Amino acid sequence: MDYAIGDVQGCFKSLKGLLNKINYNIDRDRLYFLGDVVNRGNNSLETLRFIQSNQDNINMVLGNHDFHLLVCALTERQPNKNDTFLDILSASDKTVLLDYLLTRPLVIEHKDALFVHAGVPPQWSKSDAITNAEAVHKNLQSKNVSEFLSKMYGNYPNKWTDNLSNEEGSRYTINALMRMRFCKEDGELEFEHKLNVDQNPENFEAWFLHSKRLMAEEEIFFGHWSSLKDVNSKNIYPLDHGCVWGESLTAYNLTNHNYISQKSLEVN
Ligand SMILES: [Mn+2]
């Protein structure tokens, strides 16, 4: 069986509970994590080790928290006081774990579906998303990765145009695929709000609600937005069910189309 799994955020106990529930068999099943496997929860190191050490049968897309870990590990930027991945930064196998993250994609194509952490902006087709994600992926493989990472924080450019530089284009792509919640029809991004889907800032809407969205006929599985529950939008599968906030961790069985949820087992 193949499963897509929402944001673990270091909630390794809950992940083990979920894998138990689906009778996870490492030789038979494949897992796709939708990003934010680390941070905020208590066991980022165990979570990332589990994923990295089973990479033949497990894959993940990068989320904003995974990316933030890379930035803190490889540039001058210091972790915030709420960051809980310091165990990874001081681990003996830190290099192996960080190298694993640096090789992860921003999107994964699975049959006709796309896996991504935050979403795909309305003006991008699936092939646009794949091409632009690949450009960032290439920068993460370059020997100048520290310099690249040091330039990737910031909310601008907030619009996509075809004449952006590599640096500008990468920043937009990272913000769109890993952080976006609300945007305009043309893909202009907005980062002031982390509200519920019906509390959109003026002139903005949730990225998946735009009527002319180019990926409307293709399935998108994503995490990142834990307050999204029943969005009731065709082909839209939000799987961050707020485990780190005491709610639940959810897997979607891509083979038989069932949801399996594990109530959060974290003790904070
Ligand atoms: Mn996120």
Side-chain angles (χ1 to χ4, degrees):
M1 303 279 193
D2 291 359
Y3 298 90
I5 299 181
D7 304 27
V8 181
Q9 300 210 250
C11 297
F12 192 59
K13 283 185 200 128
S14 306
L15 175 59
K16 282 199 294 190
L18 179 67
L19 296 181
N20 218 15
K21 265 193 161 179
I22 65 174
N23 293 315
Y24 174 60
N25 178 319
I26 199 157
D27 300 314
R28 182 194 63 198
D29 299 323
R30 279 179 299 186
L31 307 180
Y32 298 92
F33 289 91
L34 298 173
D36 284 358
V37 300
V38 301
N39 211 7
R40 299 287 181 265
N42 293 324
N43 299 98
S44 290
L45 178 59
E46 284 98 326
T47 305
L48 188 54
R49 271 182 184 154
F50 169 76
I51 293 171
Q52 186 275 331
S53 61
N54 294 297
Q55 58 184 291
D56 288 347
N57 299 299
I58 299 180
N59 203 355
M60 62 173 279
V61 293
L62 287 174
N64 56 304
H65 284 287
D66 314 309
F67 193 80
H68 180 58
L69 165 62
L70 287 172
V71 171
C72 291
L74 300 171
T75 77
E76 303 284 297
R77 184 177 277 265
Q78 296 299 310
N80 305 322
K81 65 177 191 322
N82 296 330
D83 291 335
T84 61
F85 49 55
L86 302 186
D87 50 356
I88 296 174
L89 297 177
S90 57
S92 56
D93 51 349
K94 160 184 152 175
T95 310
V96 173
L97 297 171
L98 295 175
D99 284 349
Y100 172 75
L101 284 183
L102 285 173
T103 59
R104 288 314 94 197
L106 278 67
V107 300
I108 294 174
E109 218 181 345
H110 180 274
K111 298 179 183 159
D112 293 329
L114 198 74
F115 303 153
V116 61
H117 180 60
V120 178
Q123 83 283 13
W124 281 1
S125 64
K126 192 201 276 181
S127 67
D128 292 331
I130 291 169
T131 303
N132 296 324
E134 179 59 31
V136 173
H137 181 68
K138 247 191 198 142
N139 283 306
L140 294 176
Q141 307 296 296
S142 81
K143 61 180 192 317
N144 299 324
V145 62
S146 291
E147 195 195 340
F148 173 74
L149 288 170
S150 71
K151 293 176 178 166
M152 285 304 109
Y153 272 23
N155 294 341
Y156 294 90
N158 59 353
K159 288 187 194 179
W160 177 260
T161 50
D162 287 331
N163 55 7
L164 297 179
S165 67
N166 174 36
E167 183 185 319
E168 293 168 328
S170 293
R171 211 182 293 117
Y172 179 90
T173 299
I174 287 166
N175 286 335
L177 300 180
M178 293 188 205
R179 294 176 63 208
M180 172 177 66
R181 288 187 178 85
F182 298 103
C183 68
K184 289 186 181 171
E185 180 101 48
D186 65 357
E188 181 179 334
L189 304 172
E190 199 274 354
F191 290 113
E192 298 302 307
H193 296 86
K194 292 187 172 186
L195 305 169
N196 293 326
V197 63
D198 55 352
Q199 297 171 293
N200 50 302
E202 207 178 340
N203 301 322
F204 288 85
E205 280 205 90
W207 62 268
F208 51 86
L209 291 180
H210 291 285
S211 56
K212 292 180 189 153
R213 201 167 56 81
L214 295 188
M215 282 194 67
E217 296 306 316
E218 292 152 300
E219 293 184 318
I220 300 180
F221 292 81
F222 63 103
H224 187 60
W225 199 344
S226 65
S227 63
L228 287 183
K229 295 288 183 282
D230 298 317
V231 296
N232 206 9
S233 292
K234 191 183 154 206
N235 295 328
I236 290 297
Y237 296 84
L239 288 183
D240 179 5
H241 292 179
C243 187
V244 77
W245 312 118
E247 297 179 57
S248 52
L249 184 65
T250 296
Y252 181 85
N253 184 327
L254 296 149
T255 311
N256 67 19
H257 312 286
N258 281 331
Y259 289 93
I260 309 95
S261 277
Q262 168 66 55
K263 189 127 190 38
S264 178
L265 299 173
E266 310 306 307
V267 185
N268 288 309

